[in-house]
Amino acid sequence: MWDLPVRRGARRQLAMAKEKSIYSCTECGATSPKWLGKCPGCGAWNTLVESVAETGARPRYAAGRGLLPAAAVATLAEIDATDAERQPTGIEEFDRALGGGIVAGGVVLIGGDPGIGKSTLLLQALDALARTMKVLYVTGEESGAQVALRSRRLGLGASPVRVLAEIQLEKILATLEVEQPAVAVIDSIQTVYSEALTSAPGSVAQVRECAAQLTRLAKASGITIILVGHVTKDGALAGPRVMEHIVDTVLYFEGDTHSSFRLVRAIKNRFGAVNEIGVFAMTEKGLKGVSNPSAIFLSTHGEPVPGSCVLVTLEGTRPMLVEVQALVDAGGPSPRRLSVGLERDRLAMMLAVLHRHAGIAALDQDVFVNAVGGVRISEPAADLAVMLAIQSSLRGKPLPRGFIAFGEVGLAGEVRPAPRGQERLREAAKLGFSIAIVPKANVPRGAAAKAFEGLTIHPVERIEEAIDLVRSL
Ligand code: TYD
Ligand code: MG
């Protein structure tokens, strides 16, 4: 007789615990109660992803029930513009990529290939931070014992870093609220899952929901949260692009796992400059910062070889010399264009410009280009060096000893100036390079030219001029 209300209550509780999910389109935001291949709103294919349904009765994004009073509107002049205070992590190269250090309430996403050193770097950083503040390392990929073993290997014997081996989001959030660390690392976001969703950990919906919840907690509590993210085969962060939008800072780990050098590059930073990089070397005692990295991406040839050209690239605020290599070889009926560390679409464009404006045809040739040491170069100032390397390989003639080049090449064959050309030239002169081909606007004039003694600088305005020049050198 009396068991009926109890059972009804239990059923109601069950219904509340299981939040409903809906499917929303990543393109237009239209929603559907079930998954569809084609979005009913915009007609795009395969864009519906699962997310938690928002109910009107219990606002998910507001504390407590009902409407919160809106924040007061103010003029910019009235708002105190205090710069966010940065706490250095104690690892100089990591701080450089972060723009000076971590910020309270900031959320950092750090991505990179498996085995590149994300967990190692973060454990080292947490250990250094733990001397002055409370830190928590949440591991979903390894057990506590594995993390401890790694910390011993890194020589962090009596480390005060607190560790939680957990993958359920709600439990992680509860622990963070109880522990109140100043900094927490979630390694990795793809292993964390929320009870509210039915999809598997690592799915788009889970990653997005977990990242959003953790971000909300960081903003509300002032905890700095560092999320580790996996990358897909083509190098993008797995999970939705929205993850990059909700976090404050996005860092990428780059580098060739076969070489010991690793770069940490900031591609988004609400608290500092982007494209700033930190350079590390992987040793048996973990990652060590490289404070003077300008010459590490040069391979060592005794004699100049065809198809190789050194370029000065500017990574954040530091100029670095990187060797680009090209190999042009007779191809089959459909020649291949392959690039490692440089953009492939840009390579196709450069081959077209070489053909049209400098009369260098590689239409029936396989063309491979590579940036030495596993660096990724995205700046267009690499164009001139890549094109000179290609023509050098095609002719089988090396560029002169001590040669560098940089400059963007446009579709009309014009060579455009690179930003901060003098700094690049200064770095090349410092490292003993003797011949440079650079855009005309980058050539130092007057008194400034004296600083580059020993470096002969040839200005060029067009790609054909640059090609003629290297042939005569
Ligand atoms: P790890 O930090 O586990 O990579 P991720 O978290 O990005 O997947 O890096 C592991 C690699 O680093 C592994 O190949 C071994 C190497 N390593 C060293 O060379 N020295 C060390 O001191 C440590 C801890 C790892
Ligand atoms: Mg790891």
Side-chain angles (χ1 to χ4, degrees), residues 113-120 150 153-154 282-286:
D113 291 334
I116 198 142
K118 301 180 294 293
S119 307
T120 306
R150 184 200 301 266
R153 214 171 28 216
L154 291 171
M282 181 61 97
T283 68
E284 68 277 20
K285 283 250 176 270

Side-chain angles (χ1 to χ4, degrees), residues 112-122 124 137 141-142 150-151 153-154 187 228 230 253 257 262 282-287:
D113 291 334
I116 198 142
K118 301 180 294 293
S119 307
T120 306
L121 176 65
L122 291 174
Q124 286 179 281
Y137 184 90
E141 307 213 319
E142 294 160 307
R150 184 200 301 266
S151 95
R153 214 171 28 216
L154 291 171
D187 191 359
V228 175
H230 288 279
F253 241 109
T257 33
R262 305 278 187 274
M282 181 61 97
T283 68
E284 68 277 20
K285 283 250 176 270
L287 288 158

Side-chain angles (χ1 to χ4, degrees), residues 230-239 241 244 252 376:
H230 288 279
V231 294
T232 54
K233 255 197 241 119
D234 46 344
L237 275 165
R241 292 298 301 222
E244 289 187 15
Y252 267 96
R376 235 174 262 172

